[in-house]
């Protein structure tokens, strides 16, 4: 088989874990042709973003202490992941060069006092640039040939939507095949940085937070893999986040549609856009646990999951969201007023996760990512006051969380919504907004952030999601 394997930040968080990844890849590459996609070491992308933002405020002291601890973490990981002194030396040299380059970039940002989307993407790309050589070294240390590539070197070409870039799939497939096929045919394991790519001008882009999953499915399609395996720190896609509900159960099988729905609504185990490419080509995806490789994980294919009787299959808590309410008597019966609101958000690359409106049409409520709130409100105000004043007020709530209850068989099952809302009411928790997609695959609603976990736990229990 041809398998693309992606190892998430949680699977490469330490040298010891990276050594284990080297071992796993070696075992599978004896029987299969394997290509590897790797994330940054756990927590590194967040710290890069934070330091980029600090640098913008001209905080140079922060840069030096950051880069030296980043260098130390990666050297420590190299030393414990790799036994061979010569491979260690090779990797450390690359690491030192990359960190020195990062320091220059951050210093530049500090002097200019500006972190543009371009420079932010470049800074973010260093997490994977630093992890890939170590993983490649750990594979070589197990006597398996390996070569590492950045997404750009491998041939992933995207549009210029920095931070949420989309691959130009035909061109990308052609380049990936041209560059990686010969490597794989020689029995060499290519290790490609997840998350990062480049636009047509060669400027580094990234495909969205958690986007190494997306890189893996892009490779899966381009290299015509038989399966894509997403290795993480839990057994597969579960009925809810096991960190929130320890009784959460692994779902052995899901359709692309079900898994995508779960990903969009916060099941962190899968990137929301990752299932697009494989769905078209019908390539199975498996979510597997690096710490429990005997378990075959969750298999995602075209077929819906087996249990046809259970209407609710999973529940997710979506944190870091905010609610925007737009009011205006002039919106009532004014054709195109909703379109104008969405047009403004779309043009500013703000994704609307949930929408709800009153029959009176005088109000529309939306849920967006919390970090987009400032951009959303200012742009709505500027654009809609200008365009004939169809809105009178924009209010926001940033201390909210969204809950999504999902299941393909909710469709046509009476009473699911009332049961859900009864559970919430019994807990004395107030619902701020409700939305149900016409697909009826999910019901989602918004509560105050402090109540989110309790609501998820109660729904999980009430619908017996811990039992098959
Ligand atoms: P990785 O570093 O492997 O990409 P992530 O942190 O992105 O890992 O995703 C794995 C985490 O997602 C798990 O540790 C788990 O806590 C969380 N998670 C949230 N919801 C779910 C779910 N429904 N199923 C599985 N994991 C989930
Ligand atoms: N390192 C990137 C992130 O933290 C991509 C990934 O881990 O999938 O978002
Ligand atoms: Mg992830």
């Amino acid at each position: 088989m041809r398998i693309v394997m992606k190892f998430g930040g949680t699977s490469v968080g330490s040298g010891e874990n990276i050594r284990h990844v080297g071992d796993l890849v070696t075992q599978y590459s004896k029987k299969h042709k394997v290509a590897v996609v790797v994330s940054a070491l756990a927590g590194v992308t967040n710290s890069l973003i934070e330091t980029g933002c600090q640098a913008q405020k001209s905080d140079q002291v922060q840069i030096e202490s950051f880069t030296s601890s980043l260098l130390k973490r990666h050297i420590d990981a190299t030393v414990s992941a790799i036994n061979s002194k010569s491979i260690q030396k090779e990797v450390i040299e690359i690491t030192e060069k990359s960190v020195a380059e990062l320091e220059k970039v951050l210093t530049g940002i500090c002097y200019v006092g500006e972190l543009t989307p371009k420079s932010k993407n470049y800074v973010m790309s260093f997490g994977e640039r630093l992890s890939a050589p170590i993983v490649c070294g750990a594979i070589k240390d197990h006597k398996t040939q390996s070569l590492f590539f950045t997404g750009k070197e491998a041939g992933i070409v995207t549009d210029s939507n920095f931070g949420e870039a989309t691959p130009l799939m035909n061109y990308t497939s052609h380049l990936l095949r041209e560059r990686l096929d010969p490597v794989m045919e020689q029995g060499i394991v290519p290790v490609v940085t997840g998350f990062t790519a480049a636009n047509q001008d060669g400027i580094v882009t990234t495909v969205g937070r958690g986007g190494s999953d997306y890189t893996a499915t892009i490779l899966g399609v381009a290299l015509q893999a038989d399966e894509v395996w997403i290795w993480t720190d839990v057994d597969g896609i579960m009925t809810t986040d096991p960190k929130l509900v320890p009784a959460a159960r692994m779902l052995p099988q899901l359709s692309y549609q079900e898994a995508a729905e779960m990903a969009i609504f916060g099941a962190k185990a899968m990137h929301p856009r990752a299932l697009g490419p494989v769905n078209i080509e019908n390539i199975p995806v498996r979510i597997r646990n690096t710490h429990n490789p005997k378990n075959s994980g969750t298999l995602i294919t075209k077929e819906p999951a087996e249990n046809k009787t259970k209407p609710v299959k999973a529940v997710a808590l979506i944190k870091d969201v905010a609610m925007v309410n737009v009011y205006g008597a002039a919106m009532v019966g004014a054709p195109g007023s909703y379109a104008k609101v969405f047009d403004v958000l779309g043009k500013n690359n703000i994704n609307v996760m949930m929408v709800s409106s009153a029959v009176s049409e005088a109000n529309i409520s939306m849920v967006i990512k919390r970090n987009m709130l400032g951009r959303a409100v200012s742009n709505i105000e500027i654009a809609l006051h200008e365009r004939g004043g169809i809105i009178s007020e924009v209010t926001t709530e940033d201390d909210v969380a969204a809950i999504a209850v999902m299941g393909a068989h909710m469709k046509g099952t009476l009473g699911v919504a009332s049961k859900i809302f009864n559970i919430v009411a019994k807990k004395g928790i107030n619902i701020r907004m409700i939305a149900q997609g016409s697909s009826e695959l999910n019901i989602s609603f918004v509560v105050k952030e402090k109540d989110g976990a309790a609501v998820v736990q109660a729904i999980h229990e009430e619908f017996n999601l811990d039992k098959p």
Side-chain angles (χ1 to χ4, degrees), residues 173-416:
S173 289
H174 165 75
L175 290 179
L176 282 172
R177 254 178 246 147
E178 189 176 78
R179 295 176 188 174
L180 301 189
D181 261 346
V183 174
M184 288 174 83
E185 285 315 310
Q186 287 174 66
I188 300 170
V189 175
V191 175
V192 180
T193 62
F195 182 52
T196 82
N199 69 7
Q200 280 168 299
D201 300 324
I203 313 268
V204 171
T205 55
T206 59
V207 297
R209 290 307 308 274
S212 298
D213 300 335
Y214 196 14
T215 307
T217 57
I218 293 164
L219 249 74
V221 167
L223 302 174
Q224 291 159 335
D226 296 290
E227 288 193 4
V228 175
W229 292 1
I230 308 287
W231 291 96
T232 183
D233 65 342
V234 287
D235 276 343
I237 296 186
M238 327 271 288
T239 48
T240 194
D241 187 343
K243 285 175 191 141
L244 218 54
V245 180
R249 186 175 50 85
M250 189 198 84
L251 297 163
Q253 200 239 316
L254 288 170
S255 66
Y256 294 115
Q257 202 189 2
E258 287 171 321
E261 192 86 2
M262 289 187 65
I264 291 165
F265 288 99
K268 226 181 132 202
M270 171 57 71
H271 183 272
R273 290 200 289 157
L275 292 162
V278 276
N279 187 2
I280 297 167
E281 299 289 324
N282 208 1
I283 297 172
V285 176
R286 257 178 216 287
I287 318 291
R288 309 192 58 175
N289 188 346
T290 341
H291 311 297
N292 186 15
K294 285 200 188 84
N295 192 318
S296 52
T298 300
L299 178 65
I300 306 170
T301 59
K302 270 223 174 338
E303 289 84 47
E306 300 136 6
N307 190 340
K308 295 215 170 20
T309 54
K310 252 194 166 173
V312 171
K313 193 160 287 168
V315 54
L317 175 65
I318 308 138
K319 290 188 270 189
D320 304 320
V321 295
M323 213 167 103
V324 182
N325 308 301
V326 181
Y327 305 87
M331 279 165 69
V332 180
S337 48
Y338 284 4
K340 280 176 195 157
V341 174
F342 293 124
D343 183 48
V344 171
L345 295 174
K347 283 202 176 115
N348 287 285
N349 285 321
I350 298 163
N351 184 29
V352 178
M353 300 165 79
M354 283 168 64
V355 189
S356 166
S357 70
V359 183
S360 71
E361 294 184 49
N363 148 275
I364 173 167
S365 299
M366 293 160 291
V367 173
I368 57 172
K369 290 224 174 105
R370 198 174 293 164
N371 61 1
M372 292 290 171
L373 189 57
R375 201 199 289 183
V377 174
S378 57
N379 283 295
I380 290 174
E381 286 201 297
I382 292 168
L384 297 192
H385 281 310
E386 275 170 3
R387 290 188 215 172
I390 58 167
I391 60 159
S392 59
E393 197 184 357
V394 183
T395 63
T396 61
E397 288 180 47
D398 63 358
D399 56 346
V400 293
I403 316 272
V405 184
M406 292 158 283
H409 304 293
M410 273 169 36
K411 198 175 179 141
T413 309
L414 285 174
V416 177

Side-chain angles (χ1 to χ4, degrees), residues 49-60 62-63 110:
I49 295 172
E50 231 168 76
T51 312
C53 293
Q54 290 291 337
Q56 183 185 17
K57 294 177 198 149
S58 306
D59 188 347
Q60 193 146 10
Q62 175 86 9
I63 297 173
C110 191

Side-chain angles (χ1 to χ4, degrees), residues 85-154:
K85 291 279 177 251
S86 65
I87 301 176
Q88 269 185 20
K89 188 166 169 271
E90 237 173 67
V91 174
I92 290 172
E93 267 172 26
I94 295 165
T95 308
E96 283 170 344
K97 264 197 197 143
S98 298
V99 174
E101 186 183 331
L102 172 65
E103 196 168 331
K104 279 191 199 142
V105 175
L106 289 169
T107 309
I109 290 167
C110 191
Y111 278 119
V112 187
E114 188 182 47
L115 184 67
T116 62
K118 250 188 214 175
S119 54
K120 188 174 176 185
N121 272 241
Y122 193 46
V123 169
M124 285 198 283
S125 74
F126 276 86
E128 275 72 10
R129 262 181 69 182
L130 288 166
S131 65
I134 313 179
V135 171
C136 176
I139 297 170
K140 289 202 283 191
D141 202 41
H142 282 83
K143 309 278 178 285
T144 302
Q145 292 190 77
S146 179
L147 272 177
F148 73 88
F149 299 80
T150 62
K152 175 179 164 177
E153 288 163 351

